[in-house]
Amino acid sequence: MAAVLIQADDFSGAAEVGQCFATQGLDTRLLLSAPEAGTGTGRHPDVLVVDTHSRAMVPEAAAAASAAVFGSPAAGRAGVLFKKTDSLWRGNIGPELAALSALGHHVVVAGALPQLNRTVVGGRPFADGVRLDRTDLWRAEAAAPPAEIAHLLHEGSAVQLTDLSTVRSDSLTAVLGGALSGPSAGATPTTVIVDGETSADLEKVADALLALNFEAGGRRIVLAGTGGMALLLAAKLGPASARNAQEPGSSRVKAVAGAPRPVLAAVGSASAKAAAQLRNLEARGVTGLHITPGELQGPEDVRPRLAEAQQLLAAGEPIALTVSADVVNPQESGRIVRNLARLAAGAAAAPTGTDLILTGGETAREVLDALGVRSLTPLASVQHGAVVSLSDDGRLVGTKPGSFGDDDALVQLYSAIKNLRSSNSISHPSHIPGAPMTSAVNATEQDTRPFIAVTMGDGAGVGPEVTVGALLDQNAYRDCRPVVIGDVHRLQLGAKALGVEANIVEVETVGEAVFEAGRINVIDPKLLSADLPWGQESAEAGNAAYHYIRIACELGMSGQVQGICTAPLNKAALHKAGHIYPGHTELLAHFMGIEEVSMMLSTPKVKVIHVTTHIGLIDAINKIEPGLVERTVRRGHSAMQRAGIANPKIGVCAINPHAGENGLFGYGEEAEKITPAIEKLQADGIDAVGPLPADTAFFLAGRGDYDLIVAMYHDQGHGPVKVLGIEAGVNITVGLPVIRTSVDHGTAFDIAGKGIVDVRSMIEALRQAAEMSPSPAAA
């Protein structure tokens, strides 16, 4: 493979696309100056990413910066030219693309970002299904958002549109080749705008350009796209193309581990998302210094805050700098961000060095420039766009775009930096405890991540899709080593339905599995026919799901895996196959020889454990007795401790409305069946409260008063959970020799095979399986 040259107009975007290629084993360098800077060793990296810092430049300067990159000797050496664009189409996209045309290059613009539901249809940009010019996503910009992408381009440019039907046809390569070749070798450069809604659409574009060898009509082709396109392109080029892949034991990576350094975060984004992320970071013990715009007017104004920040960092305290203002004048925002960055750089310039977390590309670049950093090497990604890199002066630098990531993004960047510094045994970024996998890593004696058996569930339902979706999540291998028990062909069909690329590999044993991003290891008992229809109840699929559970339990009982994560099975299909069990929970208990287990439902807002589950209401009330209540609470208490809550506060529901209201409702069931258990638990030091009216208990849990709610019967617990968080809900079986987690939804036959299932519950199920399972050494 020839080298890859990438230009980004802000640093967080540069780090994002650089990490996409580093993940594939490609030697990747981020440069903050001309492409030749930092490459004087005689060995050229596989991938050069140049941040021109041109998002806020005047158009003429931005065009010149882009031309300097793509007109450089590095561009002559590169076989692939890529211009990273903002997924909301901000910045100087038009002038920079015009500069590429002036160099004689064709340009293909494929600017969708399906991961964030930012699409292009009919040449028009959309965000969450709404035309960009009808949203408020440009509220901080001085200009209006474009109604059509062509409006960003200079008048007189030769522009063509390739619509969705063409993208999804078998003729895309020929269409693009024809559009770019022109009637003669002297044809003017052409810009082609390509529609896209899914990752599969972007993949088709990448395949077409690779087939054309990034040339047409005697001219180079520059691909302009988002981080989503970079991710697909990197996967296409792959680790086999790495000429200078970083070997384990690299001095750059070994240099990371060592004495801990203080961490300084500078949050320069004004987005509500960034504010929520900052609050979570402060909740983890990071001291927040909220600075008013008035304190950022000039050098004299920042001195008191600079002294305060330096004092805290000298004491080893982590700090976060941010601007505290309800409204910032857009005309002053640039100056405020620059002065915040200078304040951060001044505080971080201590002799001992300070690691950094920088939110917002402009803030990141201003800080790095002030510190004299000229190049970085990406090491790890904790979320989409949230990357930790190693700078040329030895700092760890976590960066993310201001609007990217969930509320824990900054916390995860902070944890990854601390873990990198504290893990003296690190020989490769992928060994970082608490950080996601960035490249291949085999099980080693230092690797304490638990092995998790992931069962595919009913092959006719959404199980194959959610399994693939969960294992392709960027955090899939961060805390565990998952091995699927399922059907290789069916999982391949699931990947195809989702429009994603996965390396699905059959293995005979857990020991044969190799754990790397994009690879799915599968133990396949060969129980499904190739033509099994989607969305139909069948004995064949029910029988296969039964045996997937059996194999997973055998692996758990033998100590080969420390946890089990299950995709949904269908009870009717299970029964058709002659396996008469009420559900997963009872099936697991049977195979592991356990007489009594409990079902726990977990969502971000509430966790619930059930005293009874799959029996009728009258039978449930008859079955409830103090011993069963006590054992259930104890199992829940133990599970919460395994999840890291040392002394969980537990609310125990009553059976009757209003907890019987002193005998008004029911026949004294609370006093007979529940109160004796609570008294015994409290005597043993367990913080259990009740019996509580169920409606009150769930309200209090939803606002955080209780860590766990104990429900007396199935619907008492399931109803509130499905309202409060089914998308990220997880079903946990406690009381087994190994922990088991599962999605909190069914097989969804009506949408199976259509690629539209929500995979978040399965992602969360795998995460919680990893969190609650012991390491192999401790198992």
Side-chain angles (χ1 to χ4, degrees):
M1 182 204 81
V4 180
L5 177 65
I6 301 169
Q7 180 244 329
D9 66 359
D10 80 328
F11 181 78
S12 58
E16 175 193 355
V17 295
Q19 178 59 21
C20 293
F21 288 88
T23 295
Q24 297 298 327
L26 298 165
D27 185 24
T28 303
R29 202 79 47 81
L30 309 179
L31 301 183
L32 306 187
S33 56
E36 294 311 300
T39 61
T41 61
R43 180 178 67 84
H44 300 295
D46 295 312
V47 182
L48 275 180
V49 186
V50 184
D51 170 29
T52 53
H53 195 36
S54 52
R55 172 122 1 138
M57 286 182 180
V58 296
E60 296 77 13
S66 186
V69 174
F70 289 107
S72 68
R77 290 192 300 269
V80 175
L81 302 178
F82 185 88
K83 178 188 168 21
K84 199 275 182 182
T85 57
D86 178 63
S87 64
L88 293 176
W89 304 94
R90 296 168 299 186
N92 286 293
I93 293 176
E96 292 182 352
L97 294 184
L100 304 186
S101 297
L103 289 172
H105 299 325
H106 295 307
V107 180
V108 173
V109 183
L113 182 58
Q115 294 93 329
L116 296 183
N117 200 23
R118 295 172 185 178
T119 60
V120 178
V121 180
R124 291 180 170 179
F126 289 78
D128 292 320
V130 180
R131 274 177 41 179
L132 182 62
D133 60 329
R134 296 174 181 173
T135 72
D136 65 349
L137 294 172
W138 273 47
R139 60 184 177 277
E141 304 298 315
E148 297 183 16
I149 296 169
H151 293 169
L152 295 171
L153 307 179
H154 283 191
E155 292 184 9
S157 300
V159 180
Q160 297 190 32
L161 173 66
T162 301
D163 61 18
L164 275 177
S165 62
T166 304
V167 170
R168 295 170 180 175
S169 71
D170 294 330
S171 59
L172 178 61
T173 302
V175 169
L176 284 178
L180 297 172
S181 295
S184 67
T188 59
T190 300
T191 298
V192 178
I193 298 169
V194 182
D195 281 355
E197 288 184 319
T198 67
S199 294
D201 297 334
L202 296 182
E203 185 176 13
K204 294 268 287 186
V205 177
D207 285 337
L209 293 182
L210 288 169
L212 292 169
N213 203 27
F214 275 77
E215 291 186 4
R219 296 181 185 276
R220 305 287 299 278
I221 301 173
V222 181
L223 174 58
T226 65
M229 176 57 87
L231 188 65
L232 283 166
L233 186 61
K236 293 286 180 185
L237 297 174
S241 301
R243 295 178 290 110
N244 302 304
Q246 188 171 291
E247 295 293 332
S250 160
S251 60
R252 279 182 306 194
V253 178
K254 282 185 175 179
V256 173
R261 298 185 179 191
V263 176
L264 181 150
V267 181
S269 171
S271 72
K273 178 65 71 177
Q277 293 165 350
L278 177 60
R279 286 194 295 271
N280 279 2
L281 186 63
E282 291 175 343
R284 292 297 183 96
V286 175
T287 300
L289 298 182
H290 294 251
I291 304 167
T292 65
E295 294 175 288
L296 295 170
Q297 297 298 313
E300 295 298 324
D301 301 301
V302 304
R303 284 184 179 177
R305 288 295 201 170
L306 176 59
E308 182 182 7
Q310 289 173 330
Q311 184 178 8
L312 288 167
L313 291 171
E317 294 293 326
I319 65 172
L321 306 175
T322 189
V323 179
S324 179
D326 294 331
V327 178
V328 175
N329 184 342
Q331 303 301 321
E332 298 182 356
S333 60
R335 177 173 50 79
I336 289 171
V337 167
R338 286 191 295 274
N339 285 334
L340 177 69
R342 289 165 185 159
L343 170 59
T352 56
T354 300
D355 291 331
L356 300 167
I357 298 173
L358 307 173
T359 290
E362 185 176 356
T363 301
R365 182 58 190 264
E366 293 282 351
V367 173
L368 295 174
D369 281 349
L371 291 170
V373 173
R374 304 317 309 149
S375 70
L376 302 96
T377 301
L379 296 182
S381 172
V382 299
Q383 291 188 15
H384 179 73
V387 177
V388 179
S389 302
L390 177 64
S391 69
D392 54 13
D393 67 351
R395 300 175 190 272
L396 289 174
V397 182
T399 55
K400 59 170 285 296
S403 61
F404 276 31
D406 64 24
D407 289 354
D408 287 328
L410 294 182
V411 170
Q412 291 180 8
L413 284 171
Y414 178 71
S415 297
I417 289 171
K418 301 300 286 184
N419 286 328
L420 271 164
R421 288 294 183 200
S422 64
S423 297
N424 292 319
S425 62
I426 293 172
S427 62
H428 193 275
S430 55
H431 289 178
I432 301 166
M437 296 289 291
T438 58
S439 57
V441 56
N442 287 314
T444 68
E445 57 191 13
Q446 292 89 10
D447 195 338
T448 59
R449 292 171 298 157
F451 291 95
I452 304 295
V454 181
T455 61
M456 191 184 77
D458 192 300
V462 296
E465 294 164 87
V466 298
T467 300
V468 168
L471 268 70
L472 291 185
D473 181 74
Q474 60 184 355
N475 290 329
Y477 298 117
R478 181 182 63 186
D479 299 321
C480 70
R481 289 173 281 182
V483 177
V484 177
I485 318 299
D487 185 273
V488 168
H489 176 66
R490 204 66 185 174
L491 291 164
Q492 291 170 339
L493 293 179
K496 183 178 180 180
L498 291 173
V500 297
E501 184 170 331
N503 181 22
I504 300 173
V505 180
E506 183 177 354
V507 296
E508 293 293 328
T509 66
V510 173
E512 291 179 16
V514 175
F515 302 96
E516 61 184 10
R519 172 174 168 136
I520 299 176
N521 301 283
V522 187
I523 296 175
D524 186 350
K526 304 291 195 304
L527 297 171
L528 292 180
S529 57
D531 59 352
L532 178 75
W534 290 106
Q536 294 184 23
E537 179 185 302
S538 72
E540 178 185 7
N543 182 61
Y546 171 89
H547 286 289
Y548 299 155
I549 293 294
R550 174 186 60 79
I551 294 169
C553 289
E554 290 172 356
L555 293 173
M557 295 297 285
S558 66
Q560 295 181 65
V561 301
Q562 288 71 54
I564 297 172
C565 177
T566 63
L569 54 73
N570 184 276
K571 295 166 191 171
L574 195 68
H575 293 178
K576 271 189 175 181
H579 308 301
I580 312 301
Y581 295 89
H584 256 135
T585 303
E586 295 79 4
L587 189 56
L588 288 153
H590 163 74
F591 282 127
M592 294 191 180
I594 303 297
E595 292 185 3
E596 188 176 279
V597 295
S598 295
M599 175 191 291
M600 178 186 290
L601 301 180
S602 175
T603 77
K605 289 187 177 180
V606 65
K607 290 178 172 60
V608 184
I609 192 168
H610 292 72
V611 175
T612 66
T613 50
H614 297 118
I615 56 177
L617 184 56
I618 293 175
D619 293 332
I621 294 171
N622 289 333
K623 184 176 180 180
I624 297 168
E625 50 89 23
L628 178 58
V629 172
E630 179 190 345
R631 294 191 298 274
T632 302
V633 174
R634 289 188 186 277
R635 281 191 285 269
H637 181 266
S638 176
M640 297 303 292
Q641 287 184 320
R642 291 178 71 176
I645 301 176
N647 187 29
K649 189 172 182 63
I650 302 172
V652 182
C653 289
I655 296 172
N656 294 299
H658 300 273
E661 200 160 311
N662 297 317
L664 182 61
F665 306 117
Y667 300 91
E669 287 88 350
E670 282 74 21
E672 175 190 349
K673 297 172 177 286
I674 301 174
T675 300
I678 292 176
E679 291 173 349
K680 189 170 182 179
L681 292 162
Q682 290 174 344
D684 288 344
I686 293 177
D687 191 2
V689 178
L692 300 170
D695 53 353
T696 301
F698 280 100
F699 168 77
L700 295 174
R703 75 179 191 186
D705 290 12
Y706 292 103
D707 300 303
L708 177 68
I709 293 295
V710 180
M712 292 295 126
Y713 50 89
H714 184 280
D715 284 10
Q716 189 181 59
H718 276 64
V721 164
K722 306 238 173 178
V723 171
L724 291 173
I726 189 172
E727 297 88 354
V730 176
N731 186 327
I732 303 172
T733 305
V734 293
L736 296 170
V738 298
I739 200 69
R740 173 261 178 170
T741 66
S742 181
V743 293
D744 190 29
H745 60 71
T747 48
F749 281 158
D750 58 325
I751 62 170
K754 298 179 180 178
I756 58 175
V757 64
D758 190 330
V759 303
R760 285 178 292 175
S761 183
M762 191 68 174
I763 291 171
E764 180 64 9
L766 183 60
R767 187 194 70 78
Q768 292 204 32
E771 179 180 87
M772 301 179 75
S773 297
S775 69

